[in-house]
Amino acid sequence: MSVRKIVFRCQQCGYISPKWVGRCPDCQNWHSLVEEAAPKNDGQRAGGPLLSVPPLALANIPQPLETRILSGMNEWDRVLGGGLIPGTVVLLAGDPGIGKSTLLLQGLALLARQQRVLYVSGEESAQQLKMRADRLRIDSANLYIFSENSLEDIFQACAQTNPAVLAVDSIQTIHSRSLEVSPGSISQVRDCAAKLMRLAKEQNISVFLVGHVTKEGSIAGPRVLEHLVDTVLYLEGDRTHAFRILRVVKNRFGSCNEIGVFEMKEAGMEEVANPSQLFLSERPTGVSGSVVVCTMEGTRPLLVELQALVSPTGWMQPRRTSMGVDGNRLSLLLAVLEKKLGFNFAQNDVFVNVAGGVRLTEPAADLAMITALMSSYLDRPIAAELAVWGEVGLAGEVRGVGHALSRVNEALKLGFTRHLIPKSNSDRLLLEIEADCIGVKSLGDVLNSIFDGG
Ligand SMILES: Nc1ncnc2c1ncn2[C@@H]1O[C@H](COP(=O)(O)OP(=O)(O)OP(=O)(O)O)[C@@H](O)[C@H]1O
Ligand SMILES: [Mg+2]
């Protein structure tokens, strides 16, 4: 009788050790190794029977028909790169309770108008899903609900209902009987996802997987799933605010810079056609430290309010707190302001926040951060009709950024008639559009043009 071999696998990084150790030698996490059966060796070697489908020359592969399934919900279709491609695997990840199941159910109901859809929930019963569907006013004869945790039963349900789209909510609750480890462990998550991926590719079924995000911010079962699937979507948002951003992190079949903006309401997620207006709706006017920045999210310009507060510190070491912008970027810009303009932040706490829980990752937000910091430091408000964007370098120079025309047009649409932008951008822009642009080359220019030299 063969003896079952045991190994210990790190639940954080997947490292395999023949014996138990308290700390993973690879990722250095404590108590992350869990006992499991050793992977089977299939004993594959060269020289076996001929392949039924041998490798093909690229020129001989027939031209595929690119058919995308459109749901009709613009924000949803856009983040998927212009609709869902049959046979793709999409991972929808997000914090607990952010609205993943709600959004998915709504999206699936729209897809079910054209295709048969199977929604598998390992978390909620069929009755609970019915209650949610009633609240969202969803009713579809083509949307099948299956409350189950076993992967084998899901495959069976798929064979019986023959859906074009399958959704599994969530991948962490599903287990395969072939592995003797609990659901949610890294090997179960990886194994189940790989089997669902194979199902998607072999039978041309589009698969949605819902994934929970762990405390550390990675998709539980760590980032292994991100590599496996075709598209990774993150549903983000501040739980205290009603709007949610569906962000593409990876897309094998489309742009990975797109975002979709939704508002969470009693009747579910509602598309926000004009997010800039929503983000600016509660903006105070005539107060120092508040600036409107025009940032690009993929192909779409977005106006958001950036706020800075510079106030005398009561601590030995002043605080630097940033929400929605990178803390390192803030430190860097503070250092540039000190060096180039002689500002002194050593006795001041500095807080920066992007209103509405939006995250600004673009360097084009630099100039807005600088302007907000100057405004708060000098306690001088910025004109309400001014929109700001541009990158700032270590030498205090203001550098040009892309998509200038889209940014200016978006700002004009929302009533921002003046634009504080890099000189290189304004020179080229003024050839194309008639706009009131203040082109700046350095931080000194910013101080002179909108704060009259401080
Ligand atoms: N009756 C209701 N009216 C308004 N909003 C509701 C109502 N019921 C639930 N919600 C909202 O829906 C959210 C939960 O949505 P959902 O279950 O889709 O989230 P989830 O991301 O799937 O959560 P989980 O990680 O637990 O699966 C709640 O946080 C709440 O804001
Ligand atoms: Mg859920």
Side-chain angles (χ1 to χ4, degrees):
M1 205 176 78
S2 67
V3 182
R4 210 167 122 253
K5 208 173 158 219
I6 298 290
V7 292
F8 296 85
R9 191 193 288 265
C10 171
Q11 299 298 297
Q12 295 296 325
C13 70
Y15 177 82
I16 297 179
S17 162
K19 60 181 178 34
W20 188 84
V21 284
R23 187 181 199 183
C24 172
D26 198 8
C27 67
Q28 311 297 326
N29 271 300
W30 286 96
H31 307 300
S32 59
L33 271 76
V34 169
E35 178 185 324
E36 63 177 58
K40 281 198 196 120
N41 184 358
D42 291 343
Q44 281 182 3
R45 60 196 144 79
L50 286 179
L51 296 168
S52 56
V53 186
L56 290 173
L58 185 60
N60 295 343
I61 299 173
Q63 198 68 37
L65 287 173
E66 201 189 287
T67 44
R68 288 186 182 253
I69 313 171
L70 292 171
S71 69
M73 200 198 306
N74 285 337
E75 303 291 298
W76 170 279
D77 291 337
R78 189 191 21 246
V79 290
L80 288 171
L84 182 66
I85 294 185
T88 52
V89 181
V90 180
L91 175 68
L92 174 62
D95 287 336
I98 199 83
K100 301 179 292 294
S101 309
T102 307
L103 181 64
L104 189 60
L105 193 61
Q106 285 180 273
L108 293 179
L110 291 170
L111 294 175
R113 287 183 191 162
Q114 317 154 41
Q115 314 262 354
R116 184 173 292 180
V117 178
L118 175 62
Y119 181 112
V120 180
S121 178
E123 295 180 345
E124 287 140 314
S125 67
Q127 281 76 21
Q128 286 169 328
L129 280 167
K130 178 76 181 161
M131 274 167 57
R132 172 174 297 146
D134 284 346
R135 177 164 60 87
L136 305 177
R137 298 193 196 100
I138 288 172
D139 199 9
S140 171
N142 244 347
L143 178 60
Y144 287 75
I145 303 291
F146 187 47
S147 182
E148 185 51 64
N149 295 95
S150 153
L151 188 70
E152 287 73 19
D153 289 354
I154 295 172
F155 280 150
Q156 191 61 33
C158 251
Q160 280 180 12
T161 41
N162 198 16
V165 181
L166 166 73
V168 178
D169 185 0
S170 68
I171 187 71
Q172 278 98 5
T173 56
I174 306 299
H175 69 271
S176 163
R177 281 186 217 124
S178 64
L179 282 182
E180 291 172 23
V181 279
S182 54
S185 63
I186 181 171
S187 19
Q188 276 288 7
V189 168
R190 186 156 45 185
D191 192 62
C192 292
K195 284 179 177 157
L196 286 164
M197 180 92 184
R198 213 170 311 141
L199 173 86
K201 301 294 166 198
E202 282 172 9
Q203 301 189 21
N204 214 23
I205 299 178
S206 305
V207 177
F208 284 94
L209 303 175
V210 172
H212 293 291
V213 170
T214 58
K215 275 201 303 270
E216 293 79 31
S218 58
I219 300 170
R223 304 190 79 98
V224 283
L225 285 184
E226 289 197 12
H227 297 292
L228 207 65
V229 301
D230 298 311
T231 305
V232 181
L233 308 177
Y234 268 91
L235 187 62
E236 310 173 337
D238 190 338
R239 210 129 4 128
T240 51
H241 287 92
F243 44 84
R244 305 278 182 268
I245 295 177
L246 187 60
R247 190 182 292 275
V248 188
V249 179
K250 163 185 170 177
N251 195 351
R252 286 192 180 137
F253 309 108
S255 157
C256 61
N257 290 316
E258 294 295 348
I259 62 159
V261 184
F262 298 89
E263 193 174 355
M264 186 85 159
K265 294 194 168 166
E266 160 96 40
M269 297 275 193
E270 202 171 277
E271 290 183 80
V272 176
N274 194 344
S276 300
Q277 202 161 23
L278 180 79
F279 293 138
L280 297 178
S281 58
E282 284 164 307
R283 181 176 164 240
T285 45
V287 294
S288 62
S290 161
V291 169
V292 170
V293 53
C294 192
T295 180
M296 292 299 293
E297 288 286 356
T299 51
R300 161 196 253 196
L302 197 64
L303 289 174
V304 283
E305 184 195 350
L306 194 142
Q307 297 178 323
L309 180 69
V310 180
S311 71
T313 184
W315 306 91
M316 285 290 284
Q317 190 159 6
R319 294 175 61 184
R320 308 281 182 251
T321 308
S322 61
M323 278 169 291
V325 288
D326 180 24
N328 290 331
R329 200 79 200 161
L330 171 63
S331 306
L332 186 149
L333 295 177
L334 287 174
V336 175
L337 273 173
E338 288 188 329
K339 177 87 180 167
K340 297 292 164 194
L341 297 183
F343 282 34
N344 181 7
F345 294 103
Q347 270 79 47
N348 287 305
D349 287 333
V350 178
F351 306 91
V352 172
N353 178 38
V354 183
V358 181
R359 221 162 19 97
L360 293 179
T361 48
E362 231 200 346
D366 290 352
L367 190 59
M369 221 184 322
I370 286 279
T371 318
L373 289 167
M374 282 182 183
S375 162
S376 184
Y377 183 88
L378 301 169
D379 201 16
R380 302 260 301 270
I382 291 166
E385 73 285 356
L386 189 74
V388 182
W389 46 266
E391 187 179 341
V392 175
L394 283 182
E397 81 281 16
V398 179
R399 296 165 177 236
V401 293
H403 305 282
L405 195 57
S406 317
R407 292 178 207 259
V408 167
N409 278 332
E410 176 75 2
L412 285 172
K413 213 161 52 179
L414 284 150
F416 292 88
T417 48
R418 295 181 76 205
H419 316 270
L420 181 74
I421 60 178
K423 179 98 171 71
S424 58
N425 283 124
S426 76
D427 287 349
R428 254 173 288 151
L429 253 178
L430 290 174
L431 302 175
E432 300 176 50
I433 187 172
E434 211 172 290
D436 184 2
C437 296
I438 310 167
V440 284
K441 269 173 134 171
S442 66
L443 298 194
D445 289 352
V446 179
L447 199 62
N448 290 331
S449 55
I450 56 172
F451 299 107
D452 306 324

